[in-house]
Amino acid sequence: MNEKVRKFLHRFFGLLTIVLILVLAWQWIQSQPATSKVKQTTNKVLTQKQGKYSKKERQELKAAVAKQDQQGLNLSKQGYVAIPKLSILLPIYDNAYSKVALDKGANTVQKDGPVPVMGQGNYTLAAHNWDNGYTGFSALQQKLKQNEPYEDSNGKLGTSDWLNGTKIYLANQNGIYTYKVTGQTTVDQNDGSVLNPEDRIDGKAKLTIVTCLFPDTTKRIITNAKYSDFVSWDKAKSDELGYFDLQKQKTNVLP
């Protein structure tokens, strides 16, 4: 092997090694939802039970979902919200205007009116965006630490369709309610119009999820979803039941 060929191969393999290191480093960074600046989805997914749930197991799931677990804090629990694609599983309480309640999970948002009812009207929820892509409703923001596409550099508010079609499940003592995301919008923190209990999507009941935008915390990301189905605990499919199997699933209230 002559000297020119040797030097060429040395440089080639040296460059190839650097490229491989950079690629592996980038992949590792993207696998860390708390540090990745460009997030598509979290890597953790809700696990599924292998096999079917017995009648007894279904009743146990129902009881666990409906259990009042924060009575000492004077919080009433409605049930749970699950967004499997984003590994979101949070209990739902009835006081979004209480710091104590928001530290415990998601909360219904209506303040001066009847408490929202799953599967009816405009069911409104709020939870923290902890700016880490995982905790609370953080995963609903398309890109970490970037206002866009919800707000551009000139302050113009925008929308996002990155979650369109994503299923959101609500569960209470009656059963499991399914909604499908129709889009995300952005509003100012003081804009309460999205909480209108009379709002619908195509004449159907809707779900409205409110969470902060980061880094501009004066704005709110609004995730809209249309009601599509309800199933009782004794009729639900195993995968739907599995999302609320609290013996196997881990809530994302905290990391």
Side-chain angles (χ1 to χ4, degrees):
M1 181 182 299
N2 62 43
E3 186 65 16
K4 287 185 178 181
V5 173
R6 188 187 66 78
K7 288 183 178 181
F8 170 79
L9 291 176
H10 179 75
R11 291 173 181 170
F12 173 79
F13 286 111
L15 180 60
L16 181 61
T17 300
I18 293 173
V19 170
L20 288 174
I21 291 173
L22 290 174
V23 169
L24 291 173
W26 175 252
Q27 290 177 341
W28 181 86
I29 290 172
Q30 293 307 295
S31 71
Q32 311 305 305
T35 60
S36 173
K37 290 188 177 182
V38 180
K39 171 188 64 65
Q40 294 303 315
T41 61
T42 55
N43 288 328
K44 176 183 174 294
V45 295
L46 297 180
T47 58
Q48 287 298 312
K49 173 186 170 69
Q50 298 298 316
K52 297 181 178 181
Y53 283 88
S54 66
K55 183 176 180 180
K56 179 181 177 182
E57 288 174 324
R58 289 168 181 265
Q59 292 303 308
E60 290 173 345
L61 292 182
K62 172 182 175 179
V65 164
K67 181 180 179 181
Q68 294 298 327
D69 54 8
Q70 298 295 339
Q71 290 180 312
L73 296 176
N74 198 31
L75 297 179
S76 175
K77 188 174 79 176
Q78 278 214 8
Y80 280 80
V81 54
I83 311 178
K85 179 178 178 178
L86 301 177
S87 296
I88 289 175
L89 177 62
L90 297 171
I92 300 172
Y93 300 100
D94 282 337
N95 195 346
Y97 300 92
S98 162
K99 181 180 183 304
V100 172
L102 285 171
D103 284 345
K104 294 298 181 181
N107 284 259
T108 57
V109 187
Q110 299 295 354
K111 188 175 185 179
D112 300 317
V115 174
V117 177
M118 293 180 186
Q120 299 181 25
N122 180 17
Y123 190 84
T124 51
L125 283 180
H128 285 307
N129 178 352
W130 295 100
D131 192 29
N132 61 12
Y134 172 65
T135 313
F137 280 149
S138 302
L140 289 171
Q141 182 164 336
Q142 185 172 353
K143 298 179 181 179
L144 291 183
K145 308 182 188 304
Q146 295 184 42
N147 289 325
E148 294 182 348
Y150 308 102
E151 181 183 21
D152 67 19
S153 58
N154 296 317
K156 183 179 179 180
L157 302 183
T159 62
S160 176
D161 61 2
W162 82 293
L163 290 176
N164 283 14
T166 297
K167 289 185 177 181
I168 300 179
Y169 300 91
L170 303 180
N172 62 14
Q173 71 276 6
N174 298 322
I176 300 173
Y177 305 77
T178 304
Y179 294 77
K180 289 185 180 180
V181 175
T182 59
Q184 291 182 312
T185 58
T186 316
V187 299
D188 183 80
Q189 62 183 345
N190 297 316
D191 187 346
S193 63
V194 297
L195 306 180
N196 183 352
E198 302 304 318
D199 278 355
R200 303 289 189 276
I201 298 178
D202 297 332
K204 293 188 176 182
K206 69 174 293 192
L207 169 65
T208 301
I209 295 180
V210 182
T211 195
C212 290
L213 172 65
F214 272 92
D216 185 357
T217 57
T218 68
K219 303 301 186 295
R220 299 290 180 265
I221 298 171
I222 308 301
T223 302
N224 300 290
K226 182 168 67 174
Y227 173 75
S228 64
D229 190 29
F230 166 78
V231 64
S232 61
W233 288 102
D234 60 331
K235 300 293 185 181
K237 297 177 181 178
S238 291
D239 58 346
E240 296 170 332
L241 294 169
Y243 299 141
F244 300 99
D245 189 339
L246 302 178
Q247 292 187 346
K248 295 181 173 64
Q249 309 295 10
K250 181 179 183 296
T251 64
N252 63 305
V253 177
L254 300 172

